[in-house]
Amino acid sequence: MSVIRRLPEEVVHRIAAGEVVTSAAAALKELLENSIDARATKINVGVRQGGLKVLQIVDNGKGMAPEDMRMACERFATSKLQTFEDLQSITSFGFRGEALASISQVARVKIVSMVPDAVCAYSASYADGKIAGANGGQAAPKPCAGVPGTTVTVEDLFYNMPTRRSANRNASEEYRAIADIVTRYSIRYSSIAFTCKRLGDNSGSDIKSTMNATVLENIQLAFGKNLAQELLDFKFEIDGLGVSGSGLVSNANYNLTRRTFILFINGRLVDYAPLKKALDSTHSEFSPKGSHGFFYLDINMRTEDLDVNVHPTKREVRFLHGAELIESVTSAVSDRLKTSRTSRVYYSQSLIEKPVPRAEQSESQVPDTPAPAMLVRTSKRPLSGRNPLAKDPRKMVRTDAKIQDGAMEQFIESRPQVLGSGLRRSSRTALKRSREAPPLLTSVRNLQMEYEAQTHAGLHDVFREHSFVGVADGDHVLIQHRTKLMLVLLHPLVRELMYQKTLLQFADLLPAKLTSPVPIREVVRLRLEKPDLKLKESACDREEMAIAVGGVLLSHSEMLLEYFGIRIVDTRGSGPSVDALPLLLEHHSPAPTSVADLILGLGTVVNWEEEQECFKDIAELIADCYTSVGQWDPTNSDQLERYEYIIKHAILPATRSAFFPPNHFAENKVVREVASLERLYRTFERC
């Protein structure tokens, strides 16, 4: 029979540490709050390999004296709490003395700290909650050079917890979570200047907030001007309960594909699911189906009504009057959204302020074509917002619900003219800045720059200005560019278009739900039986491969959904399944056999270790999956009509903007000129 024994102290501490420090982002949150408690006005965060290799936070706070550094990483040692009753009036983030102690149990920690007016700084390295000395003994903090404030360096996070470390091995996802934490605190604490960057990367800081900026300015810095201009402010107060607050919500004219919910209660970044759900429901009454809103709330209440001692991570809280709070907030949001849905304002924006000089126009441009003075496009802005790009009130057009459908079309230019190479560069820049998405990863931008650098200037003009003529056969389509008739090879065109759209809409792809989930293991088994793969493995090997592919996709399901719109669900009985695929183009979906190739490729082809190679592999697999337009059958009129419809109304219109045809399209005759009006004139003149 088993005998009950007391666990060793080091095992107890490591188990407790696993509850507090679940990831690099969780460790950063604890360290960030310590810096804010220390009244820092500058906080710099440095990360290497997603924080698993190095996580460093530098602040200019009040620092620690050498005596305090001796107990800094000891469990339940704190300067912020004396008695249990102090919890009823606690205002600091930390109070249990668990954060640094837990981090030192699962990582190697070094602290350099200096109090103001001190002669020098002191440094100490910690292991298992104690200052590490020679031969495993204890030591005292050592004097060293430094500046007022504290620097905490965490190295080799989870080095003694291999299972936890392997679960957090995706460096890019960990860094994204860290950047999200820094972003949220930078919005709330405008009196502090935050920076966050990858150590060893000379490209600068990914996050850099300015001191004493407003909340709206910090949101604009983090999420972009397009979102900031569409936010509505609101306030609320519950009489007699000591609860009040303010917030920002995206208006009914502006919709996001993913919800953003930022909640601070008494300055703490917390999560409160009932309030989040209620706000989602309220916003859905004013926005299109499938869209989401942006919510920022800063709530204040009496400290005795708030219980912060709920979970070791302090992310969850409990408080009194929750129902009244939800009702008050949702009512304030609803009233504010009602004011924005009755009318809209459209602003015109100049992309080119003057025509391109004749000498700078491309050779392929017809000389007699007049160039317009500017190219105008329209974009939606809130009625109460301020648009620096449209200062002339004559450029403002207001509409309301009484105006019939289509009345705004006269203010929107249907298709811009091409002015030459100068306009092409400006149009690309304007297009990229108009995308409403989180800050673009460097690896994705590098991939975009790769295909942009290979753009064929002449073909870029062709696709921007072309007109659809007709489908030649199952492999070719005819288009007209000015006075020339062009024959386009369809397969490489669609493949390149889908690859570029996958990267252009990175982290913003909308998942389209399948009619029924596709079981990964069963699809892989069936695909491996096809003779075109020519596999030498036995049936047992194929079974193992099917299980392995399912495990790989399930382990990366969160990244696949967030970045590429591929949703993996764990279905009872049949294992992991593909529930949704990205919606790249309206009216266009992949063939079932292509979906099977995509699933198999994700599990066997993708290099999951290198970020840029990983994203490139996935984008290429998605492009291959969406390359097929359908079956060409001239004898089937319905099928032929649908085939032509997809090409005319989905594929070719997508090439008129944000498409960069590569040089090999001309070299491999993907696009060929088959007739020219000028040459025909010369031929008939001779006759």
Side-chain angles (χ1 to χ4, degrees):
M1 296 178 61
S2 60
V3 178
I4 297 177
R5 297 185 180 90
R6 187 181 299 277
L7 287 173
E9 185 176 352
E10 61 272 15
V11 176
V12 173
H13 291 329
R14 193 170 299 178
I15 292 174
E19 295 180 349
V20 178
V21 186
T22 58
S23 63
L28 171 81
K29 181 178 181 293
E30 300 290 347
L31 298 176
L32 205 62
E33 292 176 346
N34 283 346
S35 296
I36 298 175
D37 279 341
R39 302 189 185 91
T41 58
K42 293 182 180 180
I43 301 177
N44 302 325
V45 178
V47 180
R48 180 174 286 122
Q49 294 184 14
L52 297 179
K53 185 64 177 177
V54 177
L55 177 63
Q56 186 179 74
I57 182 165
V58 182
D59 67 56
N60 64 344
K62 59 184 180 180
M64 289 186 290
E67 296 77 15
D68 293 331
M69 292 181 65
R70 294 176 182 271
M71 302 180 63
C73 291
E74 288 190 15
R75 194 168 177 79
F76 306 128
T78 179
S79 62
K80 303 165 185 176
L81 189 71
Q82 299 296 327
T83 64
F84 182 79
E85 287 71 21
D86 292 341
L87 281 173
Q88 297 182 0
S89 58
I90 195 74
T91 57
S92 61
F93 289 109
F95 51 85
R96 277 193 293 255
E98 280 190 299
L100 280 173
S102 297
I103 295 173
S104 70
Q105 294 286 339
V106 295
R108 298 177 176 90
V109 179
K110 181 179 179 181
I111 299 178
V112 178
S113 189
M114 179 179 176
V115 297
D117 302 327
V119 177
C120 65
Y122 286 84
S123 68
S125 298
Y126 299 83
D128 299 329
K130 299 177 181 179
I131 299 180
N135 299 323
Q138 280 191 275
K142 299 178 181 178
C144 64
V147 295
T150 302
T151 299
V152 180
T153 304
V154 180
E155 296 181 339
D156 298 327
L157 188 62
F158 303 127
Y159 73 95
N160 53 0
M161 300 177 69
T163 302
R164 180 71 58 84
R165 186 175 180 86
S166 61
N168 293 270
R169 64 182 177 181
N170 193 313
S172 60
E173 291 184 13
E174 285 298 309
Y175 182 74
R176 191 177 182 86
I178 287 173
D180 181 67
I181 293 291
V182 177
T183 296
R184 291 169 183 255
Y185 276 98
S186 67
I187 293 173
R188 169 61 174 78
Y189 291 93
S190 57
S191 61
I192 303 175
F194 291 86
T195 63
C196 180
K197 65 170 297 184
R198 293 179 173 89
L199 295 174
D201 189 347
N202 297 324
S203 60
S205 301
D206 296 309
I207 298 174
K208 189 174 183 180
S209 67
T210 56
M211 196 182 304
N212 297 323
T214 64
V215 170
L216 192 59
E217 289 172 342
N218 286 332
I219 291 178
Q220 175 176 318
L221 184 66
F223 295 94
K225 183 185 295 184
N226 290 344
L227 173 62
Q229 290 176 334
E230 304 289 352
L231 295 179
L232 306 172
D233 62 320
F234 63 91
K235 295 183 179 180
F236 61 92
E237 185 175 358
I238 306 178
D239 296 334
L241 299 181
V243 179
S244 63
S246 60
L248 294 166
V249 60
S250 56
N251 65 31
N253 304 339
Y254 189 87
N255 304 295
L256 300 169
T257 57
R258 292 177 297 171
R259 176 193 60 232
T260 301
F261 180 76
I262 304 175
L263 171 63
F264 284 89
I265 298 182
N266 287 4
R268 295 177 180 276
L269 178 63
V270 297
D271 194 16
Y272 188 51
L275 179 58
K276 183 191 302 183
K277 185 176 181 180
L279 286 173
D280 269 346
S281 177
T282 301
H283 196 274
S284 65
E285 298 175 5
F286 302 88
S287 57
K289 185 178 181 180
S291 61
H292 301 279
F294 177 96
F295 307 97
Y296 169 81
L297 289 98
D298 190 3
I299 301 175
N300 294 300
M301 61 178 60
R302 295 183 296 228
T303 55
E304 57 267 26
D305 293 341
L306 179 66
D307 184 4
V308 297
N309 189 31
V310 176
H311 192 272
T313 63
K314 300 186 287 291
R315 187 65 189 254
E316 299 178 15
V317 293
R318 296 289 184 271
F319 48 83
L320 301 179
H321 318 300
E324 293 86 346
L325 173 65
I326 293 175
E327 182 180 358
S328 180
V329 173
T330 53
S331 177
V333 170
S334 178
D335 292 342
R336 195 68 177 92
L337 288 174
K338 287 177 182 178
T339 64
S340 69
R341 73 171 179 177
T342 56
S343 62
R344 297 187 181 187
V345 171
Y346 292 80
Y347 297 94
S348 63
Q349 174 181 348
S350 299
L351 299 184
I352 298 296
E353 298 181 355
K354 60 182 180 180
V356 178
R358 184 74 61 173
E360 296 183 7
Q361 296 182 9
S362 63
E363 296 179 359
S364 63
Q365 190 173 358
V366 178
D368 297 332
T369 303
M374 65 173 60
L375 177 65
V376 179
R377 73 173 181 178
T378 61
S379 58
K380 294 183 287 185
R381 297 291 184 268
L383 179 61
S384 59
R386 178 177 61 85
N387 185 2
L389 298 174
K391 299 179 180 178
D392 187 351
R394 293 174 297 177
K395 293 184 179 181
M396 299 175 61
V397 182
R398 178 175 180 177
T399 67
D400 56 35
K402 297 179 182 179
I403 296 182
Q404 60 184 355
D405 293 341
M408 286 304 301
E409 293 179 359
Q410 58 182 314
F411 301 103
I412 303 177
E413 185 167 310
S414 59
R415 181 164 54 87
Q417 299 185 29
V418 173
L419 305 181
S421 59
L423 174 62
R424 193 180 306 117
R425 287 192 295 270
S426 298
S427 297
R428 292 179 191 175
T429 303
L431 176 66
K432 292 165 193 168
R433 290 179 180 174
S434 69
R435 293 182 68 239
E436 182 57 45
L440 198 61
L441 297 177
T442 303
S443 56
V444 179
R445 184 67 193 114
N446 290 339
L447 293 174
Q448 292 180 352
M449 292 173 65
E450 281 184 6
Y451 66 70
E452 289 180 16
Q454 300 297 322
T455 303
H456 190 286
L459 293 181
H460 189 267
D461 291 338
V462 168
F463 283 104
R464 282 176 61 88
E465 295 183 305
H466 79 273
S467 299
F468 174 74
V469 176
V471 177
D473 55 34
D475 298 322
H476 298 86
V477 62
L478 287 166
I479 63 174
Q480 178 185 342
H481 177 241
R482 295 178 183 168
T483 59
K484 298 178 181 179
L485 184 65
M486 320 291 288
L487 185 67
V488 182
L489 195 58
L490 199 57
H491 183 277
L493 171 66
V494 178
R495 202 267 183 192
E496 184 65 28
L497 174 65
M498 296 305 169
Y499 174 75
Q500 294 185 17
K501 288 190 72 67
T502 302
L503 293 177
L504 184 65
Q505 301 177 64
F506 179 83
D508 203 25
L509 285 164
L510 186 66
K513 186 175 177 60
L514 301 176
T515 53
S516 60
V518 178
I520 294 173
R521 296 173 184 173
E522 182 178 348
V523 167
V524 171
R525 291 190 198 102
L526 294 174
R527 187 67 186 92
L528 291 175
E529 293 176 359
K530 296 293 182 180
D532 57 334
L533 290 179
K534 299 180 181 180
L535 295 176
K536 298 180 180 180
E537 288 83 353
S538 64
C540 180
D541 295 329
R542 293 176 180 178
E543 179 69 20
E544 292 177 357
M545 185 178 293
I547 296 174
V549 170
V552 169
L553 268 62
L554 192 60
S555 65
H556 296 89
S557 59
E558 187 174 340
M559 184 270 281
L560 289 171
L561 176 60
E562 183 175 1
Y563 292 164
F564 297 100
I566 301 175
R567 184 162 56 219
I568 311 296
V569 296
D570 196 359
T571 309
R572 287 187 177 181
S574 58
S577 302
V578 178
D579 181 63
L581 291 174
L583 181 64
L584 296 181
L585 284 178
E586 292 285 348
H587 313 297
H588 179 49
S589 57
T593 54
S594 300
V595 175
D597 289 336
L598 172 63
I599 294 173
L600 181 61
L602 289 174
T604 59
V605 176
V606 176
N607 179 5
W608 297 100
E609 301 301 325
E610 298 293 333
E611 180 179 296
Q612 184 166 320
E613 290 300 318
C614 172
F615 294 156
K616 184 176 182 179
D617 291 343
I618 297 175
E620 289 179 342
L621 288 169
I622 293 176
D624 291 335
C625 180
Y626 284 78
T627 296
S628 176
V629 179
Q631 293 294 327
W632 165 265
D633 185 1
T635 62
N636 189 328
S637 59
D638 293 337
Q639 193 178 79
L640 190 63
E641 183 179 356
R642 171 169 174 76
Y643 188 87
E644 183 174 324
Y645 181 87
I646 294 174
I647 296 173
K648 181 179 179 180
H649 296 285
I651 302 299
L652 289 179
T655 64
R656 292 195 178 104
S657 62
F659 177 62
F660 306 96
N663 289 319
H664 70 78
F665 271 25
E667 299 167 0
N668 300 335
K669 297 183 179 181
V670 175
V671 182
R672 288 180 288 177
E673 178 184 325
V674 295
S676 171
L677 188 59
E678 290 86 356
R679 285 202 293 272
L680 288 173
Y681 278 144
R682 287 195 293 269
T683 301
F684 282 102
E685 282 175 357
R686 291 200 225 37
C687 297

